[in-house]
Amino acid sequence: MKKILAIMFAIVFAFLSVGCNKLPSPETNLEFWIAEKVDNVDFSNYQMKYGLFGGNMYYGTGYVPTLDENGEQVDPEHCVVYTVTSYPDYMNKAQHITRIEITDPEIKFYGLSINSSREDINMVMQEHGFTVIEDEYGITAKKGKFTFDFNKWSNYITIDVEVTNRFNIIF
């Protein structure tokens, strides 16, 4: 009987662990969603954003950076940048979208954009089970490993999923 209970507990724990690593994709015009597995995505047609160790950043389709006088990339005024790293831990081989940076007001998820009101952000994110915190920088919504930052002063949104680093890899 103890073995059966232990096996059942392990199965339930495994299902719960997998569920905590995903956030259902809402209706959105983003190309990828947070924590989406992208092992089989061909990023050769995407413009890489330079400067990340331990992963890669890519501009969404149609967004092209310019170069400044020093040859450094300058983001377009409106864009989406996807960060791809190992997930759920940096030791995993599977590659996922672990950060999305949005400055394009045309991008929407949950019906929200960078132009949404504080009231709408609060209401919608709470309806989707997020804990919402307002401060002088904007609004942060958290749910498990997922964090959405709506920075109203700089007009950007970041969507992050926490990646563990069990072996303390230094990049």
Side-chain angles (χ1 to χ4, degrees):
M1 185 65 164
K2 286 183 181 181
K3 281 185 177 181
I4 292 172
L5 285 174
I7 291 170
M8 288 176 63
F9 179 76
I11 291 170
V12 169
F13 181 76
F15 279 116
L16 290 175
S17 296
V18 170
C20 294
N21 291 332
K22 297 207 181 237
L23 189 63
S25 179
E27 185 174 320
T28 181
N29 55 348
L30 287 164
E31 294 171 77
F32 305 102
W33 187 236
I34 194 68
E36 181 177 338
K37 188 174 182 180
V38 292
D39 281 337
N40 297 320
V41 173
D42 179 5
F43 283 100
S44 64
N45 291 323
Y46 288 80
Q47 172 69 48
M48 184 179 274
K49 182 173 180 174
Y50 305 116
L52 179 67
F53 294 103
N56 292 307
M57 293 185 293
Y58 300 97
Y59 291 95
T61 302
Y63 303 111
V64 180
T66 56
L67 297 177
D68 67 13
E69 61 276 356
N70 298 319
E72 300 290 324
Q73 286 179 325
V74 178
D75 290 348
E77 179 182 6
H78 302 297
C79 67
V80 176
V81 177
Y82 298 97
T83 300
V84 177
T85 68
S86 297
Y87 177 76
D89 189 85
Y90 286 121
M91 285 299 293
N92 290 86
K93 290 183 181 179
Q95 297 293 288
H96 291 75
I97 302 295
T98 55
R99 182 177 179 92
I100 303 171
E101 301 169 32
I102 303 166
T103 59
D104 186 341
E106 297 298 315
I107 297 298
K108 295 187 181 205
F109 56 89
Y110 299 134
L112 300 173
S113 74
I114 61 174
N115 292 326
S116 295
S117 69
R118 287 181 176 264
E119 294 79 17
D120 286 345
I121 294 168
N122 273 313
M123 181 184 68
V124 169
M125 296 307 285
Q126 287 177 13
E127 284 175 359
H128 285 89
F130 286 81
T131 300
V132 177
I133 302 162
E134 285 192 63
D135 62 23
E136 65 271 18
Y137 304 108
I139 297 172
T140 299
K142 292 184 174 252
K143 182 178 183 180
K145 294 181 169 196
F146 299 92
T147 303
F148 290 61
D149 282 312
F150 297 82
N151 188 306
K152 293 309 269 186
W153 311 125
S154 300
N155 282 332
Y156 69 85
I157 299 169
T158 58
I159 305 171
D160 291 287
V161 62
E162 178 186 330
V163 181
T164 58
N165 191 358
R166 292 180 301 194
F167 295 101
N168 297 316
I169 298 170
I170 299 172
F171 296 103

